[in-house]
Amino acid sequence: MNGLNIVLVEPEIPQNTGNIVRTCGGIGAHLHLVRPLGFEVTDRHLKRAGLDYWHLVDITYYDNFQELLDQYADGHSFYYCTTKGSKRHTEVQYRDGDFLVFGKESRGLPENLLAAHYNDCIRIPMRPDFRSLNLSNAVAVVAFEAMRQFDFAGMEDVGHLTGRKEFLN
């Protein structure tokens, strides 16, 4: 599997998942959703948050996280994004095909999963008196660090200003 893989384990809030769809569309990442989901995939908030980017994103659904691991564990690295990690998200050397795993908004990833993969747990640095970032913001922060390391491969990195001529000179 090529490209970056974003995994949401039991996401609860449709607007967050919709925003993550938009991020995945912008960077060309594959989205993996692990059930149960806290919403219907036809939810209007989910669709509205993802805007018209749904056609740009490959989405795969799983009944449990083990199903995803069984399919991809060989040959792919998994990084578990958690406030309990001891390694910064910027300390990892991401590779094509890596999986970034995020937990549900209310509780994050299960402790037993984190303990089993502790050396692969990463965190976004933040103030010690701050609980966590919004899920869609956390996905964007970590995913764009990976894309920065890939030198933004496949992404347009020069903008083109259109409009009034006095701004173009």
Side-chain angles (χ1 to χ4, degrees):
M1 175 165 291
N2 293 328
L4 195 61
N5 294 280
I6 305 296
V7 180
L8 303 182
V9 178
E10 302 179 11
E12 300 166 314
I13 301 173
Q15 294 91 334
N16 283 336
T17 301
N19 287 335
I20 292 164
V21 165
R22 189 172 183 174
T23 297
C24 288
I27 65 174
H30 187 120
L31 180 60
H32 303 265
L33 297 176
V34 178
R35 295 181 183 105
L37 307 179
F39 47 84
E40 296 294 323
V41 292
T42 57
D43 186 295
R44 67 180 174 89
H45 298 294
L46 178 72
K47 295 290 187 192
R48 190 167 79 199
L51 297 174
D52 56 346
Y53 300 106
W54 290 93
H55 69 285
L56 297 174
V57 182
D58 289 326
I59 303 175
T60 306
Y61 298 88
Y62 304 88
D63 290 326
N64 57 64
F65 186 68
Q66 190 60 49
E67 182 182 342
L68 183 141
L69 272 181
D70 290 345
Q71 188 170 348
Y72 294 107
D74 290 339
H76 295 304
S77 296
F78 282 73
Y79 296 101
Y80 301 86
C81 303
T82 173
T83 58
K84 299 169 179 84
S86 63
K87 189 183 325 182
R88 291 180 184 176
H89 72 290
T90 55
E91 294 176 43
V92 171
Q93 288 299 113
Y94 300 102
R95 297 178 314 195
D96 191 35
D98 282 353
F99 286 75
L100 305 177
V101 183
F102 297 84
K104 63 174 71 179
E105 290 91 338
S106 64
R107 292 192 297 260
L109 292 165
E111 290 276 337
N112 61 340
L113 180 65
L114 298 175
H117 302 280
Y118 188 71
N119 290 333
D120 296 317
C121 289
I122 58 174
R123 65 176 285 115
I124 299 168
M126 58 190 99
R127 293 171 44 160
D129 59 344
F130 190 77
R131 190 174 69 232
S132 65
L133 293 176
N134 171 279
L135 178 61
S136 63
N137 291 337
V139 168
V141 167
V142 179
F144 271 89
E145 169 58 21
M147 296 310 295
R148 183 193 66 79
Q149 291 184 18
F150 299 162
D151 197 30
F152 301 103
M155 299 171 72
E156 186 173 327
D157 60 355
V158 176
H160 303 283
L161 184 62
T162 59
R164 297 173 53 182
K165 286 187 178 183
E166 62 265 25
F167 293 118
L168 299 177
N169 292 330

